[in-house]
Amino acid sequence: MAKEKTLDDLFHDTLKDIYYAERKILKALPKMARGAQAPELKAAFEKHRDQTETHVERLQQVFELIGKRAQGKTCEAIEGILAEGEEILDEFKGTAALDAGLISAAQAVEHYEIARYGTLKTWAQTMGLKDAVKLLDATLKEEAVTDGDLTKLATANSNRKAMKAA
């Protein structure tokens, strides 16, 4: 008979998922920064890369808090989202729509991360993991700010530029 799965198991499994995702995102952000046309979008990707390094460190701390080794588990969702970003880089390279497309891809990543961190934070609260809640909440807030910053970049310039012929 299979072992009964608990919230602890689900928390650990989801933690491995987002750990894998963050490490993949770390590798993708420099490529997105190189592909971006607008200097402010390049800077946003570079800033988020630095933040993502901190997110990985926080996740390592959460693994420590639950007495588990920090390890990732292949996350098909982030693989798909990042593949879409690669397609945008390839298909829209050199066009007026590239930055708008990169922002949309980055926001898909942000929304995935927000969903994962929000869930993990709620579960950590339920499990009484106060220190983990603080770490997860700090990252959740940063992800939400990044999403808002990307929206501002899109609405201030990139979306309008994408409407015009190159």
Side-chain angles (χ1 to χ4, degrees), residues 44-58:
F45 287 142
E46 289 165 358
K47 176 184 174 188
H48 195 59
R49 188 197 179 284
D50 293 343
Q51 283 183 327
T52 302
E53 286 178 345
T54 301
H55 299 168
V56 169
E57 290 168 10
R58 286 186 191 133

Side-chain angles (χ1 to χ4, degrees), residues 10 12 22 33 36 71 76 83 89 93 104 113 115-116 123 158 166:
L10 198 52
H12 184 229
E22 290 284 23
Q71 76 179 75
E76 297 298 335
L89 270 170
K93 185 176 185 176
S104 75
E113 290 176 300
R116 284 295 185 219
W123 288 344
S158 297

Side-chain angles (χ1 to χ4, degrees), residues 5-155:
K5 297 284 187 172
T6 67
L7 188 59
D8 287 344
D9 298 314
L10 198 52
F11 182 84
H12 184 229
D13 195 58
T14 305
L15 196 60
K16 291 192 294 188
D17 175 277
I18 195 65
Y19 186 68
Y20 176 92
E22 290 284 23
R23 293 176 70 202
K24 290 296 276 194
I25 293 162
L26 261 180
K27 292 178 184 172
L29 282 166
K31 190 170 189 175
M32 292 177 79
R34 283 191 304 274
Q37 296 170 332
E40 57 273 13
L41 183 56
K42 286 181 187 287
F45 287 142
E46 289 165 358
K47 176 184 174 188
H48 195 59
R49 188 197 179 284
D50 293 343
Q51 283 183 327
T52 302
E53 286 178 345
T54 301
H55 299 168
V56 169
E57 290 168 10
R58 286 186 191 133
L59 287 171
Q60 290 168 343
Q61 292 175 40
V62 174
F63 276 107
E64 283 180 36
L65 289 169
I66 63 169
K68 304 282 185 183
R69 181 174 66 87
Q71 76 179 75
K73 168 189 146 185
T74 302
C75 172
E76 297 298 335
I78 207 65
E79 292 285 352
I81 292 168
L82 293 175
E84 286 178 8
E86 289 277 338
E87 282 179 35
I88 289 168
L89 270 170
D90 292 341
E91 293 178 23
F92 291 87
K93 185 176 185 176
T95 71
L98 177 62
D99 282 357
L102 288 176
I103 290 169
S104 75
Q107 285 190 296
V109 169
E110 291 308 309
H111 293 181
Y112 179 78
E113 290 176 300
I114 289 166
R116 284 295 185 219
Y117 282 109
T119 296
L120 284 166
K121 176 187 165 189
T122 300
W123 288 344
Q125 287 169 327
T126 301
M127 296 162 58
L129 300 171
K130 291 181 171 113
D131 291 336
V133 170
K134 290 176 191 167
L135 292 165
L136 296 165
D137 186 57
T139 299
L140 178 60
K141 287 177 180 169
E142 288 172 3
E143 300 292 8
V145 167
T146 297
D147 181 50
D149 290 346
L150 288 167
T151 296
K152 288 176 191 164
L153 286 173
T155 57

